[in-house]
Amino acid sequence: MTGKPLTTCLWFDDQAEEAANHYASIFEDAKVGDVTRVGPGGPGEQGSVLTVEFEINGQKFVGLNGGPQFTFNEAISFQIHCADQDEVDYYWDRLTEGGEESECGWLKDKYGVSWQVVPTVLFELMGDPDPAKAERVTKEMLSTHGKLDIARLRAAHAG
């Protein structure tokens, strides 16, 4: 290996550039980089976007317009660790626009990419050495449809 960090490649039908710009508008420390276009004899229409490089919080991605053969599923997701409820609400609201809510703080965005919007306090509460407290928090999290609510998690922890 060359010593360079890994890059995550996301296969889109034909929305890679749109998705990269969308993610860059949501995450403060995000940027869109080089765009590669289809050349003569390449796959797809000449001049159309083939790949787009982008970065979110230091994580490198390549969006590939590979066609409809493959789609995203929940087997791969990206976790967003949030310091407070305002952050949970911000990311949840922006990423569910045109997407769909799921269980336990999971969602699919409008491109089908799965995300987990997780308050960092969840791990602290679920890891409480008192098994009854940890169990109540876990049950609250598992019973949640949609975004996680820190007040409800804390209330479950308190009993």
Side-chain angles (χ1 to χ4, degrees), residues 7-23:
T7 300
T8 301
C9 182
L10 299 176
W11 180 299
F12 295 89
D13 182 1
D14 63 358
Q15 319 92 332
E17 186 173 35
E18 177 187 319
N21 287 320
H22 179 65
Y23 300 142

Side-chain angles (χ1 to χ4, degrees), residues 122-144 152-159:
L122 174 66
F123 303 109
E124 173 189 326
L125 298 174
M126 287 178 66
D128 192 295
D130 180 335
K133 289 180 177 184
E135 182 180 355
R136 288 192 303 266
V137 173
T138 301
K139 284 182 178 179
E140 173 61 32
M141 188 252 328
L142 291 174
S143 70
T144 301
R152 290 178 58 104
L153 294 168
R154 287 191 186 282
H157 183 263

Side-chain angles (χ1 to χ4, degrees), residues 20-158:
N21 287 320
H22 179 65
Y23 300 142
S25 76
I26 294 173
F27 293 90
E28 186 175 314
D29 188 16
K31 59 186 174 187
V32 177
D34 292 337
V35 175
T36 303
R37 300 195 177 274
V38 175
E45 183 180 330
Q46 187 172 341
S48 65
V49 173
L50 180 61
T51 65
V52 58
E53 296 176 0
F54 61 103
E55 189 173 305
I56 300 172
N57 295 350
Q59 172 64 46
K60 294 178 185 281
F61 294 88
V62 171
L64 167 69
N65 284 331
Q69 297 92 321
F70 302 112
T71 58
F72 300 110
N73 67 51
E74 293 83 356
I76 301 277
S77 63
F78 297 100
Q79 288 186 345
I80 304 169
H81 299 273
C82 300
D84 55 36
Q85 192 66 47
D86 287 342
E87 279 192 2
V88 170
D89 295 346
Y90 170 80
Y91 289 112
W92 189 266
D93 293 346
R94 297 292 305 273
L95 289 167
T96 56
E97 283 179 11
E100 61 187 67
E101 296 184 358
S102 189
E103 307 299 317
C104 310
W106 289 53
L107 65 89
K108 275 190 179 183
D109 68 22
K110 63 184 173 180
Y111 305 104
V113 176
S114 292
W115 299 84
Q116 297 175 55
V117 182
V118 184
T120 54
V121 71
L122 174 66
F123 303 109
E124 173 189 326
L125 298 174
M126 287 178 66
D128 192 295
D130 180 335
K133 289 180 177 184
E135 182 180 355
R136 288 192 303 266
V137 173
T138 301
K139 284 182 178 179
E140 173 61 32
M141 188 252 328
L142 291 174
S143 70
T144 301
H145 179 80
K147 73 178 167 185
L148 297 175
D149 183 302
I150 294 173
R152 290 178 58 104
L153 294 168
R154 287 191 186 282
H157 183 263

